[in-house]
Amino acid sequence: MRTRRAGATICIYVLLAMGAIICLIPLLWLIRSSLMSTEDMFKLPLILFPKKLRLQNYADVFTMVPFARFYANTIFVVAINIIGALISNLMIAYGLARIEFKGRKLMFSLSIGTLMLPANVQLIPLFLEWNWFGQINTFLPLTVPAFFGNAFFIFMLYQFLRTIPRDFDEAAFIDGASYPVIIAKIIFPLMKSAMVVVAIFQFTFTWNDFMSPLLFLNDMNKYTLAVGLRAFISTFYTPWGVLMAAATLTILPLIVLFFIAQRYFISGLTIGGIKG
């Protein structure tokens, strides 16, 4: 019996290792290509490892286009979106989960129902709306929506709030605390894991967002990284080595975030508000 279990465990680990290798191949190929010249990249037979590292590709990333500006724009937009997501979604979820008012269930249902709307359906109305406000080619269309909540985050935090006893709220009310004080000093500390998950998801969504910057921005100096990568592609010539280097620098923060926040992400999805 033990032999069978050991054999099954070994098979599972082998399959998982093979799956991990398959998933890593595109990343490794990207890094390999970023260290090669365009000629060596497409030479046949294929050169798996660069014979001579071409680090100049990474230097050219910042000279061919305003890549540093793309990075700064992306960090700014991501930071504002994370702040907006943390504040708005927690307040909305708390109101729907804790405060009794007429139409609360209907409002929650309508909020969750927006998840069924495809993002592409919203593009034209959003563009017309922001064009009417005169805010095309600004960062407002990319940041303001984060302060109005996200149905997925609201649902997740709503379910998390249900694991926190209402006794805490009632005790705070007896002491004279208001709703903002309760949220800031009682609810938020108990929901740190869930809030970290919201921040991670919002970071990933915003960092990888291509459609919104493409739709609302038309000035290269305001591009984010997702759209800025297109600046390397030309009709007559594309420096593929430099483009691969730029792509590597673009996904680097996501890789770092994964390793730093992995345990918070897992714990936020698996534990409730109260331990023990």
Side-chain angles (χ1 to χ4, degrees):
M1 183 65 67
R2 292 182 178 178
T3 304
R4 290 183 178 178
R5 289 181 178 178
T9 302
I10 292 173
C11 290
I12 292 173
Y13 278 109
V14 169
L15 292 175
L16 290 175
M18 292 175 61
I21 292 173
I22 293 174
C23 292
L24 284 173
I25 286 177
L27 176 61
L28 296 175
W29 194 264
L30 176 67
I31 297 174
R32 164 259 185 195
S33 301
S34 70
L35 296 171
M36 300 175 66
S37 64
T38 303
E39 294 75 15
D40 291 342
M41 195 184 307
F42 297 104
K43 186 176 292 184
L44 294 176
L46 287 175
I47 301 174
L48 296 180
F49 303 98
K51 297 178 180 179
K52 184 179 179 180
L53 298 181
R54 184 177 171 81
L55 299 177
Q56 184 63 33
N57 289 338
Y58 286 88
D60 291 341
V61 167
F62 296 93
T63 57
M64 296 184 65
V65 299
F67 194 77
R69 172 70 67 177
F70 299 162
Y71 238 102
N73 294 340
T74 306
I75 292 173
F76 172 76
V77 173
V78 167
I80 298 299
N81 272 268
I82 290 176
I83 294 172
L86 293 178
I87 295 174
S88 63
N89 291 293
L90 178 58
M91 294 180 65
I92 295 171
Y94 181 86
L96 293 174
R98 287 291 210 259
I99 302 175
E100 298 289 341
F101 59 91
K102 188 175 181 180
R104 178 171 64 97
K105 293 183 179 180
L106 176 62
M107 188 176 295
F108 178 72
S109 300
L110 291 175
S111 174
I112 301 305
T114 59
L115 290 172
M116 301 171 60
L117 288 175
N120 294 335
V121 174
Q122 307 173 41
L123 293 179
I124 295 178
L126 285 175
F127 181 85
L128 294 176
E129 176 185 356
W130 286 107
N131 185 55
W132 185 79
F133 284 120
Q135 298 303 321
I136 298 299
N137 199 35
T138 69
F139 291 128
L140 291 180
L142 306 181
T143 55
V144 170
F147 289 86
F148 289 87
N150 177 285
F152 173 76
F153 295 147
I154 292 171
F155 176 76
M156 184 180 69
L157 296 179
Y158 177 89
Q159 298 299 328
F160 200 100
L161 276 164
R162 295 180 62 183
T163 67
I164 302 177
R166 290 178 178 266
D167 297 344
F168 294 143
D169 304 52
E170 295 171 358
F173 276 126
I174 293 175
D175 292 337
S178 60
Y179 283 123
V181 173
I182 293 173
I183 294 174
K185 294 188 176 182
I186 298 176
I187 300 300
F188 184 81
L190 294 174
M191 298 184 64
K192 281 184 178 180
S193 297
M195 299 306 289
V196 170
V197 174
V198 171
I200 293 172
F201 271 116
Q202 188 64 52
F203 181 97
T204 305
F205 293 160
T206 309
W207 192 274
N208 291 329
D209 187 17
F210 173 79
M211 188 58 67
S212 296
L214 180 65
L215 182 66
F216 296 113
L217 303 177
N218 50 46
D219 183 0
M220 179 178 288
N221 288 323
K222 295 182 179 179
Y223 282 175
T224 59
L225 287 170
V227 178
L229 290 175
R230 296 173 62 250
F232 292 97
I233 302 175
S234 173
T235 304
F236 302 101
Y237 175 71
T238 300
W240 290 105
V242 180
L243 178 58
M244 295 299 106
T248 302
L249 293 175
T250 299
I251 67 172
L252 183 61
L254 296 175
I255 298 174
V256 174
L257 175 69
F258 172 78
F259 286 107
I260 293 177
Q262 182 181 14
R263 65 188 183 93
Y264 297 103
F265 176 74
I266 296 174
S267 64
L269 293 179
T270 57
I271 67 173
I274 303 297
K275 294 182 179 179

